[in-house]
Every structure is written in C-alpha cells, then in structure tokens.
C-alpha cells in the first residue's frame, strides 16, 4: 500500500512473465463470469427407450430416415446407436468409429470392403465380443489365419461366417474357423486352396453346423465330406457343387438324418452308378440340385428320388434329355412343388409325364429349354392350376395357343417370365393381364407387346416389376394405363422401346411413387422433362439412360436434387451431360456407388468433383475427351473407396505404374478396354434385325 496526499492507493504490479491466465493487471479486466441459464428439458428427452425402439422398428431402410431420427435430440441419437443391429461399412478404416457408435451390432457385412486386415478383425473382436452373430467377408481380402482366429475365439455368439471368394484361404485359416464352437452356417465357395485337412478341422471344431457351402472347393474329396458327415450330425444344408466327390460321399451323407438341402451341381463323378448305389437314406431331403451332371440319366435320378419321398424342389438344369422315362422317378413325389429344367432338351411327352406325376407344382422353370411346344406347356399347366411362378424365357416354339391354355389354367400366377417368345402375338399377350390379375412380376422383353397388352397388364394392381424392353410397339398410351393403375410398381425396364417419350415416363413418375429402378437406355426421344418428372420419385436407386442424346446436365441435376438414394447411374453416350451435371451429383448423391460416364462431355473438373462421393466404388470411364491423364490420376488417387474401374487401354501407359500399383493395393481392380470409338449409333430396327439373324443361325 502506498499513500499520496494522505490518501492510500494500491500498488499496481505487472507480471509480464507468468503463464497463469488468471493473473490480470486489473480486476476490471478479468473475464466476466458466465451466467448459467437453466434450459427447459426437451419433451423428446422424456420418452422411454422402449418407445424410441418401437419407432425405429417402423422406419424404412432408408439411411437418411435413421440419420434424421438421430439428430432430433441426444436421447434419440443414443437410442439409434443402441438399436442398430446390422452394419455395412464402405471401407475398413471406418470400422473403429462405426463400432464405437454402434456397440450392439449383431450382423456385420464387410463385403464392400475389399481389404480387411487382421487389425480390423481384431477391432471387431474387441468391440462386438458378446453381440456379433454374423459376419460377411465374401469379397474381402488381406486377413490372415491369425485375424480369423481372434474373431472365432473372442466372439462366442458367432453363428454365421461367409468367406466366399476368398481364393487365398488355406487350411490354416480353416483351422482358425474351427475354433468358432457355436458356428451354425459357413460359406466357403471358391476357397480352392482348402483341402480335406482344413475341412476336417472345421468338422471337429464346429459340431453345430447346419449349413455348409463348399462350392468350387477343388481340394475337397470324399475324405473331407466323410468327416463332415460323421462330426456334423445336425447338418441341414450342404453344397458340394463342382467338387471331386464320388459315390462314397453320397453314402456317408445318407446317414445325416436332418439333411434337407443337397446340391451336387457339375460334379464330374456323379453318375447313374453313384446314385443307384443308394438304396435308402435321404428321408429328410426336401431340395435337390443335380444340374449339369452329364452322366446322370433317368436311371440314377430315379434311385435318389425313390430314397427322398419328401422332396419339394428339384433342379435338373442343363440336363441332356427330359423324356417320359423321367416319370419313373417322379411318380412317388406327391409333395414336389418346384422343378427347374432350365437349358435342357425337353420333349412334349416328357412334359406330359411330369404333368401326370406332379400335380401340386407351385413353380416351374423352362427357361431356354428347346422342345417346349404348345401341347407340352398346355398339358403341364392344365394339370398344375396352382402354379405361382412360371418361366418360359426363350421358348420360341410357343404360340398364342399355349398362352391361352396357360392363362386360363393358372390364374394364380404372381410371376411370369417369357422373354423372347417370338411366336406369341400381341393378341396372345393381352390374355395375360385379362386372366392373371395377381401378377406381381412380368418379363415380356423382346415380344410383340403393344399398348393394348399394357392396358390389360395394368389390371394387375399389385404389379411391382415390369420388363418391356425391346417392345417396339408400345408407346406413351400404354404407359399411361400402367401409371394410372399400378401404384406399387418398383421396377420398370423399357430398354430400346423407342416409342416411349416424356409423356409416358411422366405418367409413370406421377402414378408410381415407389419406383426404385427404371431403364430408359436408347429411348432416344427422352429429354430432361422425363428426368424432372422422375426426380419426384424419392425412392429411385437405379437410373439407366445410356444412349439418350437429348438428355443434358439440367435433367441430371434434377435427379441429383430429388433422388438422394440414387446408387447406380448409367449415362453412357449422353453427350450433353458435362461438368455442370457432375457438381450436383457430388453434392447431393452421397449414396452413389456405380456410375458409367463413357462418351459424355465430362472433363477433369467433373471427374474430380465426384471424389467427394464417399460411397463411390465402381466407375466406367471410356472415351472422355475432356479427361487428361493427370486429372484421371488425381481422381483415382483421391477416391479411396473404389473397388473396380474400367478404363480405355490408352491410359495404361500414360499413368505411372507405381500409382496404379498403389491403387490396386488399396483393393481396386482395373479392367482395360481397347474398344475403338464408335461415332454413329445403330438404330433400334437395325439392331433388332441383327439379333434375329443371330438367333436364326
């Protein structure tokens, strides 16, 4: 304290060296104290978690809906995190953050992550130790047996693993899988390096297996299958397609009393002798697939069918001849509901025999079968009036006579596929909609369909999928009927149906708000007006408009703004789409995964803009004159989620080899195309005539 004129004063001390923030030169310079204001609690915070879970259960699968829900309040955000049970990340590096956000995940799909290392699997094992029940690694690479072992040992609740296409998987990895003691379902399709030793480890370690897929496991023989039959007594479904098994395996499998589904497609040792050796067993078998077994005739087939009286589904695709002799094995199958004869040679008497023996069929597939006539089709459909699904794709001998009998007999059809039935006229096609009102899926691609036919099909008010590509007689008039009467339509294919214009598409967009996929490729009269109308379909996920020269960036911008769920986009040969169309895509289409930019007017600017789309995985970039090697290299380097890229081979020598190797090491595969530039597009009439010439030859 000092004193001036008898008046005391305070000494001012300046501390210029202290790092303490509370030492201010004057009390008046101190920061004012913050006054806490008590905020009123949000009414949403008082809702019980059970109520929030009920709301989440009723939300659609749209991720934007869940995101909006989580942004309502803190309690909503926490509830959404705890409620989610399924997770499908785009890249492995996103796993730690995703698992921290969603601790209750039970189903983890990593099929979109091309490179999943041991560190990522270790992270999964640590975060989902008690909750994980299913993991999909069917398209993933880079993990080792150690990573699989950490997963199998740590996650005691794990019951399902999909390792399909893991061509580098060895017996050591199979031994690691064998430590998942509670495993019930396992897919090892195309794991060609796994042998009987690895399968033996799985059989011993996983006695609770109910489903096992060993398709294309070339190292698996009778020894491995025998071990599975001995140790996995609860097995219900087994796929041994394209393996080297013999009749010894079938004898072992006949001891599995719970086996319901067996596939031996393309097994070279499957013969009449192998099947005839089975005198008993397979009493529980319900589904059997012996497609592409060239050495199996009606003799061997009868043997195995006689030992499986409860069979419900039979697949005989690519069978040499379907003749009346096949009936000897079908006579006892009163429960048979589905038969698949795709790509087989069928005789009229053969179909009659099947129709006489099997009168409870619900599904019949004769796709690309030669020898199917009106007489045979009429007989089998008249005997099976309860048919729900029928496939007669490319049965080119069928006429209006067969269609008339089929439609009058099978009025309960929900699915009809008859692409390229060239002898059926527009009059025959009209009968489909007039008589089969329950149809939900119809494929009339490359037929004589006209507007009257579409009008009759519009009477199927539950229609969800309509394929009318290469139908040159349909126009806007027919689409107006579909738009007015089919509000549940989700998929529409109008590929090369050149009579369709903006008016028809506008009516579809107005009347079908649930539309998810539309193919307008080579519908040359389409303009931006169609895309502006389709932008109102907020659920649209797939849009194919290749070869539509009148569509520009303005129309594509409308799609980007209105259809935020768009995932697949094909704008090949849309020459008026340029960088102005890419910028809105980059901003609004964050769910975009696949795009074809070939022959457009996009430059480096537009290509680099797409880098911000984090979901983008598949790109086709051919003949883009405005794209330079440097711009392409920068885009490829910055887009870390790419898994497949199609490029013209001319770029291969212009991009540095180390850069390409670096991108491939991230999990991206390149496909180099050397197709020359085509200036003029062929007309649809010429194209169809060429197709017919090929078929005739």
């Amino acid at each position: 304290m000092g004193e001036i004129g008898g008046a005391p004063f305070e000494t001012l001390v300046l501390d210029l060296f202290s790092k303490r923030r509370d030492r201010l030169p004057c009390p008046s310079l101190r920061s004012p104290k913050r006054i806490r204001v008590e905020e009123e609690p949000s009414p949403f915070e008082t809702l019980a978690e059970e109520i929030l879970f009920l709301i989440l259960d009723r939300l659609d699968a749209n991720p934007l809906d869940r995101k909006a829900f989580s942004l309502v309040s803190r309690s909503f955000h926490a509830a959404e995190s705890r409620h989610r049970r399924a997770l499908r990340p785009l890249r492995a590096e996103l796993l730690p953050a995703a698992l921290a956000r969603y601790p209750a995940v039970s189903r983890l799909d990593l099929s979109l992550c091309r490179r999943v290392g041991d560190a990522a699997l270790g992270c999964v094992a640590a975060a989902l130790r008690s909750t994980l029940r299913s993991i999909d690694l069917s398209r993933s690479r880079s993990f080792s047996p150690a990573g699989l072992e950490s997963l199998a040992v740590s996650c005691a609740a794990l019951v399902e693993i999909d390792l399909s296409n893991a061509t580098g998987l060895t017996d050591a990895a199979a031994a690691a899988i064998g430590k998942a003691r509670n495993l019930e379902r396992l897919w090892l399709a195309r794991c060609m390096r796994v042998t009987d030793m690895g399968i033996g480890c799985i059989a011993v370690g996983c006695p609770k297996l109910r489903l096992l897929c060993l398709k294309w496991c070339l190292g698996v023989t009778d020894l491995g299958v025998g071990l599975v039959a001995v140790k996995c007594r609860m097995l219900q479904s087994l796929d041994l397609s394209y393996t080297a098994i013999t009749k010894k395996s079938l004898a072992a499998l006949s001891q599995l009393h719970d086996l319901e589904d067996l596939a031996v497609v393309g097994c070279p040792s499957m013969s009449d002798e192998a099947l005839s050796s089975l005198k008993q067993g397979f009493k529980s078998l319900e589904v059997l697939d012996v497609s592409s077994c060239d050495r199996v005739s009606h003799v061997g087939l009868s043997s195995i069918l006689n030992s499986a009286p409860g069979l419900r589904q039979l697949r005989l695709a690519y069978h040499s001849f379907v003749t009346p002799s096949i009936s000897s094995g079908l006579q006892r199958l009163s429960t048979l509901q589905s038969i698949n004869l795709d790509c087989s040679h069928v005789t009229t008497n053969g179909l009659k025999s099947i129709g006489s023996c099997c009168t409870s069929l619900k599904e019949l597939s004769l796709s690309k079968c030669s020898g199917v006539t009106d007489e045979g089709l009429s007989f089998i459909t008249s005997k099976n009036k309860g048919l729900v699904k029928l496939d007669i794709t490319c049965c080119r001998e069928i006429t209006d006579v067969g269609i008339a009998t089929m439609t009058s007999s099978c009025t309960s059809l929900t699915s009809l596929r008859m692409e390229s039935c060239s002898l059926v006229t527009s009059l025959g096609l009209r009968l489909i909609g007039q008589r089969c009102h329950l149809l939900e899926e119809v494929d009339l691609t490359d037929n004589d369909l006209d507007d009257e036919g579409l009008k009759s099909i519009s009477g199927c008010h539950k229609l969800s999928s309509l394929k009318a590509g290469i139908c040159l007689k349909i126009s806007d008039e027919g689409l107006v009927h579909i738009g007015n009467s089919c509000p549940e339509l989700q998929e529409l294919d109008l590929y090369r149906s050149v009579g369709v214009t903006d008016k028809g598409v506008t009516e579809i967009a107005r009347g079908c708000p649930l539309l998810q996929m539309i193919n307008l490729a080579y519908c040359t009269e389409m303009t931006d007006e169609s895309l502006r109308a389709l932008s109102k379909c907020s659920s649209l996920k797939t849009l194919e408009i290749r070869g539509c020269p009148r569509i520009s960036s303005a129309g594509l911008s409308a799609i980007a703004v209105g259809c935020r769920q768009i995932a697949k986009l094909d704008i090949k040969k849309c020459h008026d789409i340029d960088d102005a169309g890419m910028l809105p895509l980059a901003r609004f289409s964050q769910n975009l995964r696949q795009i074809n930019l070939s022959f457009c007017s996009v430059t480096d600017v537009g290509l680099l803009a797409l880098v911000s789309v984090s979901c983008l995985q598949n790109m086709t970039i051919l003949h883009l004159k405005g794209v330079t090697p440097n711009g392409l290299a920068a885009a490829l380097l910055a887009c870390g989620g790419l898994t497949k890229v199609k490029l013209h081979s001319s770029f291969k020598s212009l991009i540095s080899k180390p850069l390409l190797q670096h991108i491939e090491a991230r999990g991206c595969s390149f496909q180099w195309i050397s197709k020359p530039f085509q200036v003029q597009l062929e007309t649809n009439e010429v194209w169809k005539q060429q197709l017919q010439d090929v078929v005739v030859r």
Side-chain angles (χ1 to χ4, degrees), residues 4 21 31 54 56 71 84 87 136 157 235 272 287 380 416 453 509 514 517 568:
I4 298 178
R21 296 184 178 179
S31 299
L54 288 174
L56 286 166
L71 294 176
R84 177 167 296 200
L87 190 62
D136 188 344
L235 201 64
D272 288 340
V287 180
I380 196 171
L416 175 61
L514 303 179
M517 177 273 179
K568 182 180 178 182

Side-chain angles (χ1 to χ4, degrees), residues 171-210:
D171 288 337
I177 297 169
K179 297 184 179 181
R181 303 299 181 185
N182 294 315
L183 198 63
E184 296 180 5
R185 294 177 292 277
L186 175 63
W187 288 266
L188 295 174
R190 296 182 181 84
C191 295
M192 301 181 186
R193 298 179 63 185
V194 175
T195 68
D196 293 333
M197 183 178 296
I199 297 301
C201 294
I202 292 173
V204 172
C206 307
K208 297 181 181 180
L209 271 181
R210 297 178 181 273

